Amino acid sequence: MSWRMPAETEAQERIWMAFPVDGYTLGETAAQAHEARSTWAAVAHAAAEFEPVTMVVDPSAAAVAREYLSAEIRIVEAPLNDAWMRDIGPTFVIDDGGNRLGAVDWVFNGWGRQNWAAWDKDTLIGAEVTAGAGAMPVPSKLVNEGGGIHVDGRGTVLVTETVQLDPFRNPGTSKAEVEAELARTLGANNVIWLPRGLTRDSDTFGTRGHVDIVATIPSPGVLLVHRQTNPEHPDYTICAEIIDHLAGTRDSDGNPWRIVELPAPATLRDEEGFVDYSYVNHLVVNGGVIACSFDDVADQAAVEILRACYPNRRVVTVDARPLFARGGGIHCISQQQPALATDSIVFSR
């Protein structure tokens, strides 16, 4: 059986998330824990305006989760280390006819065996969600995360050399071997390698270069790319290099991409250093887009660009600063389950 990962703009059955439970995500104080839970809940409620949402909750957090989540959010219990569903959960795919749901269960090892990460429970979440969705398991030996890939649903996948070729993820694995596995699992025959990710994401508490804060594909032939416009930020040079690199690549039809730049927020730093705030890290849902906001002067301009890139979708924003302070964004904490050809999907307005 051959598989295809649909574009995120294709019809969806539901969104999967995971609720914060312990460690750095909740923080060290009651106020920090409340901030984390409130932000995860805000994203869930924003997505639920458009389609069903299922939240995986550690049994120890089931009672407190329901305090933050409305009754429309379905809760399923499973042991968790963390709450980044894009990375710990499976990547959903469909068969050629669009009638069978599959789920690629990548190997998860704490973003390349990071010494601050724990993953003994999270490594089992892919199988839990696969079963909960009624999907056919698609096992893979590739260490990978959902935040490390973006597809157009037509054969193109964006990846990063510092992630899939990371010696702490896939030691000794070649580009050709990664590409063969992405073809087998995602139906990708046009693999575009970015040289690296953003500065902060390459630091101690980052993923070493996830593509989902750098670039995405809002429609066939179009790349939406993060652009840092302030030369005081180290990402200024990195973004220029990435955009120049992408300009030399081709889409699934062999044509040059139309590159749309999505300028970074004006905010350059937080208390930890240079930020990696990115509007690229948004979630596409049926009839809508759940976008990051940062209480920044650039927020409205970003919304307008997203509206232009996703016509006929309503753009809803959620303050993503608490997410980025913990190492990710809206796309990172969510995972879409595509609809099958036999499903009847009604887009909310």
Side-chain angles (χ1 to χ4, degrees):
M1 181 180 295
S2 59
W3 299 102
R4 177 182 73 90
M5 182 180 175
E8 295 186 18
T9 51
E10 296 183 45
Q12 299 174 8
E13 172 66 23
R14 70 176 54 249
I15 295 297
W16 289 82
M17 297 178 63
F19 200 70
V21 57
D22 284 320
Y24 72 93
T25 304
L26 279 188
E28 299 177 352
T29 67
Q32 290 170 342
H34 175 67
E35 178 185 63
R37 291 166 178 152
S38 298
T39 305
W40 259 258
V43 173
H45 292 140
E49 294 183 25
F50 300 90
E51 62 188 82
V53 175
T54 296
M55 184 75 73
V56 178
V57 179
D58 188 272
S60 68
V64 71
R66 186 48 79 191
E67 294 176 8
Y68 285 84
L69 301 171
S70 68
E72 65 183 334
I73 309 299
R74 176 174 171 250
I75 288 179
V76 297
E77 295 185 23
L80 290 167
N81 297 113
D82 219 323
W84 307 98
M85 181 55 81
R86 180 70 53 174
D87 296 342
I88 65 176
T91 294
F92 288 105
V93 292
I94 58 176
D95 68 1
D96 285 340
N99 297 309
R100 186 71 183 269
L101 181 69
V104 184
D105 191 4
W106 313 108
V107 176
F108 179 72
N109 73 347
W111 302 278
R113 305 202 304 271
Q114 302 272 22
N115 58 16
W116 46 264
W119 60 90
D120 59 307
K121 300 171 185 176
D122 285 350
T123 194
L124 304 175
I125 290 300
E128 292 276 358
V129 173
T130 297
M136 178 176 175
V138 183
S140 178
K141 294 181 179 180
L142 187 71
V143 179
N144 190 33
E145 303 94 36
I149 55 175
H150 257 314
V151 302
D152 66 354
R154 297 155 55 96
T156 295
V157 60
L158 306 177
V159 295
T160 315
E161 292 183 12
T162 53
V163 173
Q164 283 79 15
L165 300 182
D166 177 9
F168 294 98
R169 283 179 169 97
N170 300 297
T173 303
S174 67
K175 279 188 176 182
E177 290 169 325
V178 172
E179 290 175 359
E181 182 65 354
L182 296 175
R184 183 186 73 85
T185 55
L186 306 181
N189 53 26
N190 182 36
V191 182
I192 295 178
W193 292 89
L194 278 67
R196 59 161 296 167
L198 302 183
T199 299
R200 183 150 170 173
D201 198 33
S202 302
D203 288 343
T204 303
F205 296 103
T207 70
R208 302 192 181 123
H210 271 186
V211 72
D212 70 350
I213 59 172
V214 180
T216 188
I217 309 172
S219 58
V222 178
L223 286 175
L224 184 59
V225 186
H226 178 74
R227 165 72 89 171
Q228 175 54 249
T229 61
N230 193 322
E232 296 178 15
H233 196 297
D235 286 339
Y236 178 81
T237 300
I238 290 169
C239 289
E241 291 174 350
I242 289 173
I243 292 171
D244 184 64
H245 174 78
L246 290 172
T249 65
R250 297 291 184 268
D251 67 13
S252 300
D253 296 323
N255 299 316
W257 296 94
R258 180 169 74 88
I259 295 177
V260 177
E261 297 182 6
L262 191 49
T267 304
L268 296 184
R269 305 178 69 98
D270 63 9
E271 60 186 20
E272 300 296 330
F274 286 107
V275 298
D276 55 359
Y277 292 171
S278 172
Y279 298 109
V280 167
N281 197 273
H282 54 268
L283 173 66
V284 181
V285 290
N286 293 335
V289 176
I290 315 302
C292 297
S293 64
F294 301 97
D295 191 24
D296 191 275
V297 295
D299 285 353
Q300 188 57 41
V303 167
E304 295 305 321
I305 293 172
L306 290 171
R307 285 174 177 162
C309 285
Y310 297 102
N312 303 317
R313 293 181 190 265
R314 180 160 58 93
V315 178
V316 176
T317 62
V318 175
D319 188 342
R321 288 174 295 174
L323 297 176
F324 276 81
R326 291 162 171 81
I330 290 174
H331 192 259
C332 305
I333 67 171
S334 55
Q335 179 63 271
Q336 73 280 351
Q337 177 185 328
L340 299 177
T342 54
D343 293 331
S344 178
I345 301 298
V346 178
F347 284 15
S348 299
R349 296 296 179 187

